[in-house]
Amino acid sequence: MRRRVVAAVTLLIALAGSTFAPVAVAQSEPDQLLHFVTRPDLRTPRINVRTSADGIAPGYVFLGPKSDTFVLPPASVLGGPEIVDNTGQPVWFLPRGDGNLIRTAAFEAQRYRGRPVLTWWEGLPVPIHEIGAPVFGNWVVMDESYRLIDRIKPGNGMEFADMHDMRITPWGTALVLVYRMVPHKDGDTIRVVHDNVIQEVRIGTREVLFEWSALDHIGLDESNLPRPGNPLTPYGAVHLNSLSLDTDGNIITSGRHTGAVYKIDRSSGEIIWRLGGKRSDFTFGPGAAFAWQHDAARERDGTLSVFDNASTGNGPQISRGLVLNLDETRRTATLARSYPSPDALMSGTQGGVQELGNGNVFVGWGSHGTFTEFSRGGEVVFNASFAKPHLNSYRAFRLPWVGRPADLPIAAGRGGTAYASWNGATEVASWRVLAGGSEQSLSPVATAPRQGFETSVPLPEPAAYVAVQALDRNGSVLGTSRPAKVG
């Protein structure tokens, strides 16, 4: 069975690389992409910031731009992990595929061995079936200088690293989600089912320290997803889509297709409780129920946050960030706070909610390519979206980050203007321009404040070569570019 599945997936990869038929066609519009003189290799999606008010939490916005429809021409936009500022300007972008067939997901900052790191999933979603498709890929861990630390993959011979979530634990291991297709008895029928596996692996060795199978603990009759008529069509009965650690070290995970959040004992593997779904251990107060949810996590104040997709077909069809009070003794769930989409969006897929250090709440609206920051009281202080149709980000985060690239700044000269950029550098306050008649005769001619990803500075007089120096807020030199011939 396993060999047949792998062979089928391999065939689909080959097809995807050659004769894959487009689902939709979208032409690249100039105002939907950003282009840079210093980095013509970067074509980042333009972001429209519609609201930017007082009270925004510190940090940058973390995105993984991609398209869920096949966009033509494929080279019209690059996919990859991207950090942007509050004006929508890129801070760092790493092209990783085309955002169609090769994509990234769940890009964020975590901590590993006491240091901040960047993590994301990258790979190829394989369209075996539109329900719960398995994926080829791995999780990337990168340091503050944007150097690779490791690629995290499943252990025990499993091959399908799930794109939905990966958590680095405080003790330096990684909790990962894994897809595997298995034959499973369903009454008198044997059908192919997507089993969701949780592994705790040792980073660097793939040694498995803990393994848990959804099919060992969650019955197919708990699913809200209709079974396919053909038993050979893979059935995504549970569809786990998030991982987090509770304050007691046990695991909290979300099952989209069962409509339930689960707390799992990290020692025994037993389910401690179910929140929602057909076998809920909790009763819900007014406004507390959710459906087809994502991104369940315990917050510092003891509440539980959930992204409520709300795509139930019943009631108001508006997705929301949801914060619940859980009484685990009386088994009640009551509404603490709710953050509905200010644009009345219903996210059919994806999404996430994040409580920030200042009490604000940041919500990514998944399939709609929009992301919003609310004050604790529900006021919208930041609201933005991709300008290019079809683009979205599986999740969106606001996180602190200090980037110190290992490479050098880049300079370019066009006519009477010098251009400067340094992909990923967060401490640049201004740029000093050096110019001259040769590479050996450069001297300072101008200084200008940093202006987004790329800063342009008029040259006071014609020059044959330019270089740039990145200066911090104290005027100290952070890095100097190589000389560039003025075009």
Side-chain angles (χ1 to χ4, degrees):
M1 175 69 186
R2 178 178 173 273
R3 290 182 180 177
R4 290 199 299 272
V5 169
V6 171
V9 171
T10 303
L11 175 62
L12 282 165
I13 292 174
L15 291 174
S18 57
T19 60
F20 188 83
V23 175
V25 177
Q27 296 300 320
S28 175
E29 297 295 336
D31 62 349
Q32 295 172 352
L33 301 177
L34 297 176
H35 300 268
F36 307 105
V37 176
T38 52
R39 293 298 304 267
D41 57 317
L42 301 185
R43 299 181 301 278
T44 64
R46 184 179 297 275
I47 292 170
N48 293 332
V49 178
R50 301 190 300 275
T51 302
S52 184
D54 292 339
I56 295 175
Y60 299 107
V61 178
F62 284 59
L63 303 166
K66 63 179 180 62
S67 175
D68 291 329
T69 56
F70 188 45
V71 178
L72 287 177
S76 64
V77 65
L78 296 174
E82 182 177 25
I83 302 172
V84 303
D85 63 20
N86 291 335
T87 69
Q89 277 282 310
V91 174
W92 179 72
F93 180 64
L94 179 67
R96 304 301 289 173
D98 62 0
N100 287 287
L101 296 176
I102 306 298
R103 60 177 60 177
T104 60
F107 172 50
E108 63 176 301
Q110 301 193 57
R111 295 192 71 82
Y112 176 55
R113 294 182 174 174
R115 301 292 300 176
V117 293
L118 300 176
T119 65
W120 70 88
W121 180 93
E122 64 181 31
L124 171 68
V126 182
I128 290 178
H129 192 264
E130 68 269 22
I131 299 173
V135 290
F136 275 105
N138 57 80
W139 287 89
V140 179
V141 184
M142 190 173 275
D143 69 12
E144 298 156 285
S145 296
Y146 308 100
R147 294 173 297 203
L148 181 69
I149 294 175
D150 197 17
R151 292 182 178 272
I152 299 174
K153 300 180 180 180
N156 287 347
M158 297 189 189
E159 301 175 40
F160 302 126
D162 187 338
M163 66 196 296
H164 287 96
D165 212 350
M166 184 276 292
R167 293 289 99 200
I168 297 178
T169 68
W171 44 92
T173 62
L175 287 172
V176 296
L177 287 169
V178 188
Y179 263 131
R180 65 175 177 182
M181 287 183 289
V182 297
H184 188 74
K185 188 171 177 58
D186 181 17
D188 296 329
T189 303
I190 300 296
R191 69 170 61 250
V192 179
V193 177
H194 281 147
D195 188 15
N196 296 117
V197 176
I198 298 173
Q199 288 185 348
E200 182 177 359
V201 299
R202 198 178 301 280
I203 297 175
T205 67
R206 297 177 67 181
E207 176 189 359
V208 177
L209 307 175
F210 171 83
E211 185 171 292
W212 183 90
S213 162
L215 286 181
D216 289 343
H217 300 274
I218 302 171
L220 299 187
D221 58 351
E222 295 185 49
S223 182
N224 295 315
L225 193 71
R227 290 166 172 77
N230 185 349
L232 296 181
T233 299
Y235 179 39
V238 179
H239 194 100
L240 297 185
N241 59 25
S242 73
L243 281 174
S244 64
L245 285 174
D246 205 345
T247 52
D248 58 8
N250 291 312
I251 297 169
I252 292 177
T253 186
S254 163
R256 169 175 165 82
H257 290 169
T258 57
V261 173
Y262 304 90
K263 180 171 178 176
I264 300 167
D265 189 303
R266 222 179 87 251
S267 297
S268 68
E270 294 303 312
I271 293 177
I272 298 172
W273 47 248
R274 289 166 165 84
L275 174 68
K278 296 178 181 179
R279 294 182 54 190
S280 181
D281 295 308
F282 290 78
T283 57
F284 287 82
F290 48 81
W292 305 98
Q293 77 291 335
H294 287 74
D295 196 17
R298 183 79 72 175
E299 300 297 341
R300 287 169 297 179
D301 61 0
T303 57
L304 187 83
S305 61
V306 180
F307 182 76
D308 177 18
N309 290 78
S311 50
T312 61
N314 299 312
Q317 297 294 287
I318 299 177
S319 297
R320 57 181 177 159
L322 186 62
V323 183
L324 301 175
N325 290 314
L326 296 187
D327 187 327
E328 296 185 51
T329 301
R330 297 180 179 178
R331 296 297 174 100
T332 59
T334 55
L335 180 66
R337 295 178 295 281
S338 176
Y339 302 91
S341 164
D343 303 306
L345 302 175
M346 194 280 286
S347 301
T349 64
Q350 311 167 82
V353 56
Q354 174 197 11
E355 288 214 335
L356 305 176
N358 70 344
N360 287 3
V361 173
F362 197 83
V363 181
W365 304 104
S367 53
H368 285 285
T370 298
F371 30 98
T372 307
E373 183 174 342
F374 299 87
S375 70
R376 184 180 176 89
E379 178 189 358
V380 174
V381 297
F382 181 83
N383 198 26
S385 60
F386 292 109
K388 188 175 179 65
H390 308 296
L391 286 188
N392 60 51
S393 181
Y394 161 56
R395 286 188 185 172
F397 299 91
R398 180 178 292 284
L399 296 162
W401 179 251
V402 177
R404 301 182 175 97
D407 57 4
L408 298 176
I410 296 180
R414 297 290 184 271
T417 303
Y419 297 86
S421 71
W422 199 1
N423 191 21
T426 61
E427 298 176 298
V428 179
S430 60
W431 291 99
R432 177 186 294 151
V433 178
L434 314 177
S438 68
E439 295 185 33
Q440 294 75 34
S441 63
L442 302 183
S443 60
V445 297
T447 301
R450 178 185 178 275
Q451 306 159 1
F453 182 85
E454 183 175 79
T455 299
S456 61
V457 185
L459 294 171
E461 57 186 45
Y465 288 87
V466 294
V468 295
Q469 291 181 327
L471 309 179
D472 66 14
R473 66 179 63 184
N474 298 317
S476 300
V477 177
L478 299 171
T480 302
S481 75
R482 295 183 178 90
K485 186 174 178 62
V486 176

